């Protein structure tokens, strides 16, 4: 009995409350370090337990998402404590700054879209470019279908595959006919579409960049086919232990479709495109990956225009090889080489009997080193070279260009304080004897997992098109654009809201003066983009709202005064909805754009309602159908020099396709390299 009394008198009660400074923390773990004495805090943050320890000891409190709390003092003083815990600081590798960028296919970013989302977008018909046009900042230019971003030309948006530049990312077609992106959405596991303010890694893009990352090495064999009225496809993958080899072949022909459905243009030869692609991927270990890709397109089309029988043929070849590996001490090395070659021939290009020939080639070399120095600092530095040459001949006129652009960049991401992050980069480019230094900076405040605020600024450059370089008699250097962007984003489990006002200032644009292009053009572009995505209205329903206001003016090319570019519309609005019911997914998209200004007149507003239906016929078969512009509105895209309206070849476009997987249980894996 005496021993029991002595033991009871030696027990000390430890008590207090756990808080984060704003509210109590429930279920925090509080204990004496090195013992099993401890407890969890209750719903009000309170805790109390006894210990037989005496003298000096260490009390520890831990809670998920917060830094550990440690208190070393005498046991007798550990009563009625107030433990204030600080949120765990995000390491620099965990930071995802999404200012002006939409990331698809990566679950750690705000907006996700995979290959199925691209295919099932109401107005895409399986085209990446058309799917991206549902996002804010893009503008509807129906006569060619290319990406125009925040008042910039289509050439100001550059495409990269596995970090390597693609010279011509679009298929070709006759004038005033929409083109498609060259690459299948099934190629890629990640797409990062940046509307502006990108880091020093990317150059030769005045307005935006579209980097896309191909899928990893396959772990199982795949084989499948697809067919529709306009295209036929076969593809497959052979998987090995740590590598895979893939192929894909497709034939697109509008011959049968043109016979079944009337259209305005007089085609003497239907549009045809033969595409072949192959990839080899090798994972030497978890930190060493080799990827290679090669693609070839042969496109031909003939059209009767006035008295001419235009005949167009183009060969487009693109290949790249990249390797990413850890080289020790926390360093990662990336190396890559890419080659783009495009051959274009046109008979009766402008008049009967003429012939146009153009050859463009680019070799892109790149090396980059990255290192995570600590939880608060990440560095990268790289060098690259664009080696370009092109020739063009049109009757008696001929030119040949050979030049290269050397570039280097350095990038630092720094966590200044727990919720404030700074990205500072600088890019330098040397073309001929002209050297450009372009600083870029992003300051971000991330108060919690729902909110993000960013300020972005920087300078960007791009070489003028080859035709302008040749006609300038080497007077043109690089054009530049200054970007300033404010970004606010809010994300909950069911809703994403993004608001981004922006401002751009252009310098040294090509301007025709006295029959020669000089670097005296300039311009501005300002506006605001709003994007809302919601999953909360009805179960299985996803809706998006996208609005862009753009006010842009330029003096460039053959303009005689400052005016709004003819490709820019002030207001662009897009609404989309996707609803899953049973084995079917229904998609609908509404697109609106205000009129565009031409010297010969202003176009009426653009409007189109597009729908699609995807049905899982069996685990291996999917049927997909879409109808663009269901109400048959005749949209006028532009006016020619005579004031005649330019419209689409047909008001509606119907697509019905069937996708069959022969080797596995996923119908949409047929082209998944």
């Amino acid at each position: 009995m005496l021993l029991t009394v002595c033991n009871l008198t030696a027990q000390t009660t430890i008590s207090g409350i756990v808080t984060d400074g704003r509210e109590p923390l429930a279920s925090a773990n509080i204990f004496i370090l090195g013992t099993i004495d401890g407890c969890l805090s209750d719903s009000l943050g309170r805790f109390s337990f006894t210990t037989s320890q005496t003298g000096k000891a260490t009390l520890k409190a831990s809670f998920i998402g917060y830094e550990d709390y440690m208190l070393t003092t005498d046991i007798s003083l550990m009563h009625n404590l107030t433990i204030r815990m600080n949120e765990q600081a995000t390491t620099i590798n965990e930071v995802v700054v999404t200012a002006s960028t939409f990331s698809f296919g990566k679950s750690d970013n705000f907006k996700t879209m995979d290959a199925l989302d691209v295919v099932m977008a109401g107005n895409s018909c399986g085209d990446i470019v058309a799917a991206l046009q549902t996002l804010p900042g893009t503008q509807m230019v129906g006569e060619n279908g290319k990406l125009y971003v925040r008042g910039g030309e289509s050439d100001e948006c550059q495409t990269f595959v596995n970090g390597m530049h693609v010279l011509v990312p679009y298929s070709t077609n006759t004038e005033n006919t929409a083109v498609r992106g060259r690459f299948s959405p099934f190629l890629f596991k990640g797409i990062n579409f940046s509307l502006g303010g990108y880091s020093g890694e990317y150059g030769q893009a005045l307005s935006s960049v579209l980097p896309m990352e191909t899928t990893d090495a396959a772990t199982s064999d795949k084989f499948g086919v697809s067919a529709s009225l306009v295209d036929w496809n076969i593809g497959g993958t052979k998987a090995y232990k740590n590598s895979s080899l893939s192929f894909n072949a497709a034939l697109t022909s509008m011959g049968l479709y043109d016979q079944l459905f009337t259209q305005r243009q007089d085609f003497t030869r239907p549009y045809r495109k033969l595409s072949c692609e192959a990839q080899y991927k090798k994972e030497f270990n978890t930190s060493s990956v080799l990827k290679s890709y090669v693609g070839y397109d042969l496109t031909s089309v003939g059209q009767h225009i006035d008295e001419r029988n235009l005949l167009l043929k183009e060969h487009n070849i693109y290949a790249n090889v990249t390797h990413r590996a850890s080289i020790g001490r926390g360093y990662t090395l990336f190396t890559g080489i890419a080659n783009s070659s495009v051959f274009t021939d046109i008979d009766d290009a402008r008049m009967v009997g003429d012939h146009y020939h153009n050859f463009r080639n680019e070799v892109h070399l790149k090396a980059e080193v990255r290192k995570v120095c600590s939880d608060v600092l990440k560095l990268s530095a790289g060098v690259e070279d664009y080696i370009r040459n092109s020739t063009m001949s049109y009757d008696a006129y001929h030119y040949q260009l050979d030049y290269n652009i050397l570039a280097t960049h350095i990038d630092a991401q720094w966590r200044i304080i727990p919720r404030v992050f700074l990205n500072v980069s600088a890019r330098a480019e040397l073309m001929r004897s002209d050297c450009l230094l372009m600083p870029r900076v992003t300051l971000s405040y991330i108060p919690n997992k729902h909110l993000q605020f960013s300020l972005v600024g920087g300078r960007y450059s791009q070489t003028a098109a080859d035709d302008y370089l040749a006609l300038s008699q080497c007077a043109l250097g690089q054009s530049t654009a200054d970007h300033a962007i404010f970004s606010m984003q809010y994300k909950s489990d069911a809703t994403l809201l993004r608001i981004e006002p922006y401002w751009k200032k252009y310098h040294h644009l090509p301007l025709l003066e006295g029959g020669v292009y000089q670097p005296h053009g300039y311009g501005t572009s300002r506006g605001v983009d709003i994007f809302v995505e919601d999953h909360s209205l009805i179960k299985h329903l996803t809706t998006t709202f996208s609005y862009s206001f753009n006010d842009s003016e330029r003096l460039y090319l053959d303009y005689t005064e400052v005016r709004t570019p003819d490709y820019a519309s002030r207001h662009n609005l897009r609404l989309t909805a996707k609803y899953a019911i049973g084995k079917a997914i229904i998609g609908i998209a509404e697109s609106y754009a205000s009129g565009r200004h031409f010297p010969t007149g202003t176009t009426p507003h653009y409007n189109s309602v597009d729908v699609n239906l995807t049905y899982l016929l069996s685990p291996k078969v999917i049927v997909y159908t879409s109808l663009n512009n269901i109400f048959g509105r005749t949209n006028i895209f532009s006016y020619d020099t005579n004031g005649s309206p330019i419209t689409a070849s047909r008001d509606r476009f119907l697509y019905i396709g069937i996708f069959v997987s022969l080797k596995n249980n996923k119908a949409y894996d047929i082209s998944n390299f």
Side-chain angles (χ1 to χ4, degrees):
M1 291 176 63
L2 288 173
L3 290 174
T4 302
V5 171
C6 291
N7 185 59
L8 289 173
T9 58
Q11 295 285 333
T12 301
T13 299
I14 296 175
S15 63
I17 185 171
V18 183
T19 175
D20 63 357
R22 299 182 300 272
E23 57 186 20
L25 297 178
S27 299
N29 188 20
I30 306 98
F31 60 97
I32 300 295
L33 201 63
T35 74
I36 60 172
D37 298 335
C39 67
L40 297 178
S41 59
D42 62 17
S43 60
L44 299 178
R46 298 173 302 189
F47 67 91
S48 178
F49 65 92
T50 59
T51 181
S52 60
Q53 300 294 311
T54 60
K56 185 173 287 189
T58 299
L59 181 74
K60 181 177 180 180
S62 62
F63 190 74
I64 295 176
Y66 289 79
E67 296 178 353
D68 290 344
Y69 174 90
M70 308 283 278
L71 173 65
T72 302
T73 187
D74 194 274
I75 287 287
S76 62
L77 300 177
M78 294 183 184
H79 57 87
N80 295 326
L81 297 173
T82 297
I83 296 177
R84 179 171 177 173
M85 302 190 70
N86 298 317
E87 286 189 48
Q88 194 171 47
T90 304
T91 66
I92 198 68
N93 256 353
E94 298 172 328
V95 178
V96 181
V97 176
T98 59
S100 239
T101 299
F102 287 87
S103 298
F104 307 146
K106 294 185 177 181
S107 60
D108 58 348
N109 284 318
F110 280 106
K111 166 74 178 163
T112 59
M113 178 185 285
D114 57 19
L116 292 184
D117 293 317
V118 172
V119 169
M120 293 183 295
N123 60 343
S124 73
C125 290
D127 181 30
I128 289 178
V129 173
L132 293 176
Q133 288 172 350
T134 63
L135 298 176
T138 61
Q139 297 184 302
M140 175 57 64
V141 184
E143 64 267 35
N144 62 35
K146 298 179 180 180
L147 280 173
Y148 290 76
V149 178
R150 289 180 172 172
E153 279 268 21
S154 62
D155 289 344
E156 295 177 21
C157 176
Q158 295 296 305
T159 300
F160 296 82
V161 173
N162 294 337
M164 306 307 296
H165 185 240
V166 181
L167 186 62
V168 180
Y170 300 101
S171 61
T172 189
N173 211 329
T174 57
E175 189 176 3
N176 299 320
T177 304
V179 300
R180 291 170 61 88
R182 284 192 61 204
F183 302 105
S184 164
F186 296 100
L187 284 171
F188 306 105
K189 68 174 181 180
I191 302 173
N192 291 292
F193 183 36
S194 177
L195 302 170
Y198 29 94
S199 68
E201 178 184 358
Y202 297 109
Q204 290 302 296
L206 280 179
S207 285
S208 61
V209 292
L210 178 60
M212 301 185 288
E213 182 75 17
T214 58
T215 56
D216 297 327
T219 58
S220 61
D221 294 347
K222 304 171 186 178
F223 183 68
V225 296
S226 66
S228 73
L229 291 175
V230 298
D231 56 7
W232 299 264
N233 181 291
I234 183 170
T237 294
K238 179 64 179 177
Y240 302 96
K241 184 178 180 180
N242 295 311
S243 62
S244 62
L245 178 64
S246 308
F247 76 95
N248 190 66
L251 174 64
T252 301
S253 175
M254 294 296 297
L256 178 60
Y257 195 93
D258 289 343
Q259 293 180 16
L260 294 176
F261 302 98
T262 59
Q263 41 87 33
R264 297 184 179 92
Q265 297 177 352
D266 183 9
F267 287 103
T268 57
R269 177 181 293 185
Y271 175 89
R272 293 191 182 97
K273 184 177 76 168
L274 174 64
S275 302
C276 302
E277 298 169 296
Q279 284 195 93
Y280 176 72
K281 301 165 188 174
K282 173 75 174 178
E283 295 180 359
F284 298 98
N285 53 57
T286 55
S287 60
S288 179
V289 178
L290 173 77
K291 289 184 177 182
S292 63
Y293 168 85
V294 59
Y296 167 73
D297 291 347
L298 169 60
T299 306
S300 64
V301 61
Q303 183 181 358
H304 183 75
I305 305 174
D306 299 328
E307 301 300 322
R308 297 177 290 135
N309 288 314
L310 181 146
L311 180 61
L312 180 150
K313 181 180 289 186
E314 181 176 279
H315 303 266
N316 193 334
I317 306 167
Y318 175 74
N320 73 28
V321 180
T322 63
H323 182 238
R324 190 184 303 273
S326 173
I327 56 176
R329 296 187 177 182
Y331 288 94
T332 300
L333 175 64
F334 171 88
T335 55
I337 180 172
N339 184 86
S340 298
S341 298
V342 184
F343 304 80
T344 305
D345 287 276
I346 307 176
D347 292 328
D348 285 9
R350 294 182 179 177
M351 60 184 67
V352 176
D354 67 4
H355 179 76
Y356 170 89
H357 172 77
N358 180 232
F359 166 71
R360 299 176 63 192
N361 189 81
E362 177 189 81
V363 177
H364 183 206
L365 307 173
K366 183 176 181 180
E368 185 180 52
V369 176
R370 298 184 179 184
K371 179 176 174 60
V372 179
C373 302
S374 67
D375 285 346
V376 301
L377 181 63
K378 180 165 62 174
L379 298 174
S380 65
V383 294
E384 57 188 325
D385 192 9
Y386 295 85
I387 306 170
R388 295 175 175 173
N389 60 85
S390 64
T391 60
M392 193 278 280
S393 60
Y394 177 71
D395 290 346
Y397 179 74
H398 174 83
Y399 74 71
Q400 181 171 348
L401 282 176
D402 294 281
Y403 65 96
N404 72 305
I405 304 167
L406 288 169
T408 182
H409 78 271
I410 185 168
D411 186 289
Q413 297 182 51
W414 177 34
R415 188 189 75 204
I416 303 175
I417 56 177
R419 296 183 181 89
V420 179
F421 303 88
L422 179 67
N423 183 297
V424 179
S425 63
R427 182 179 178 89
E429 293 185 348
L430 175 65
M431 178 183 172
R432 297 190 176 102
S433 59
D434 295 330
C435 183
L436 282 175
L437 179 63
M438 293 162 285
R440 303 170 186 180
V441 61
T442 299
L443 180 65
S444 298
Y445 173 55
I446 307 177
N448 53 56
K449 65 180 181 179
H450 299 298
L451 280 172
Q452 184 174 131
F453 302 92
S454 296
L455 285 172
V456 184
R459 171 159 289 189
Y460 304 84
S461 70
Q462 188 170 351
T463 306
D466 289 348
D467 288 348
Y468 303 140
L469 284 176
L471 290 171
S472 73
Q473 301 175 3
C474 298
L476 287 177
Q478 296 204 67
S479 302
T480 61
D482 298 324
H483 294 196
I485 305 165
F486 172 73
S487 176
M488 189 284 288
Q489 298 171 111
Y490 169 80
K491 180 184 180 296
S492 66
D493 292 337
T495 303
L496 167 65
L497 168 65
R498 173 180 292 185
I499 302 174
E500 287 191 351
Y502 61 88
W503 173 87
K504 291 195 293 184
K505 178 78 171 178
Y506 290 92
H507 311 272
H508 311 302
L509 297 175
L511 178 65
L512 189 62
E513 295 179 332
V516 177
Y517 283 100
Q518 300 288 346
H520 300 155
Y522 57 89
T524 60
S525 179
R526 52 188 176 268
V528 61
D529 297 331
I530 301 173
F531 180 78
V532 181
E533 181 180 81
D534 187 82
H535 303 267
S536 64
L537 298 177
I538 302 175
K539 190 177 181 180
H540 305 307
L541 175 68
T542 300
T543 58
T544 67
F545 167 86
S546 173
Y547 170 74
S548 297
F549 168 79
N550 176 260
D551 179 20
S552 58
E553 292 183 329
R554 287 190 178 198
L555 177 66
Y556 83 134
L557 300 184
D558 59 351
Y559 287 18
T560 57
E561 61 182 5
V562 177
R563 64 179 178 89
T564 300
D566 53 26
Y567 55 78
S569 49
R570 179 160 293 212
H571 304 279
N572 283 266
L573 173 68
R574 297 174 182 90
L575 303 170
T576 70
K578 184 173 66 175
Y579 182 68
I581 176 170
K583 296 182 178 181
I585 299 177
I586 302 170
I588 184 169
E590 154 70 17
S591 300
Y592 167 88
S594 57
R596 292 156 50 195
H597 302 288
F598 293 83
T600 52
T602 300
T603 64
H605 71 271
Y606 171 91
N607 189 63
S608 178
V609 179
D610 314 313
V611 297
N612 65 29
L613 173 66
T614 305
Y615 185 75
L616 183 64
L617 195 62
S618 77
K620 294 187 176 184
V621 180
I622 285 183
V623 177
Y624 171 84
T625 180
S626 67
L627 177 61
N628 287 9
N629 194 16
I630 61 175
F631 296 116
R633 175 184 170 86
T634 301
N635 287 300
I636 298 176
F637 298 134
S638 62
Y639 296 105
D640 62 19
T641 55
N642 299 319
S644 300
I646 294 173
T647 62
S649 61
R650 46 176 59 89
D651 291 329
R652 299 183 181 91
F653 187 83
L654 173 67
Y655 181 89
I656 301 175
I658 182 169
F659 301 81
V660 182
S661 177
L662 304 175
K663 196 73 175 181
N664 55 25
N665 292 324
K666 294 183 179 179
Y668 270 104
D669 259 352
I670 60 168
S671 298
N672 189 348
F673 291 166

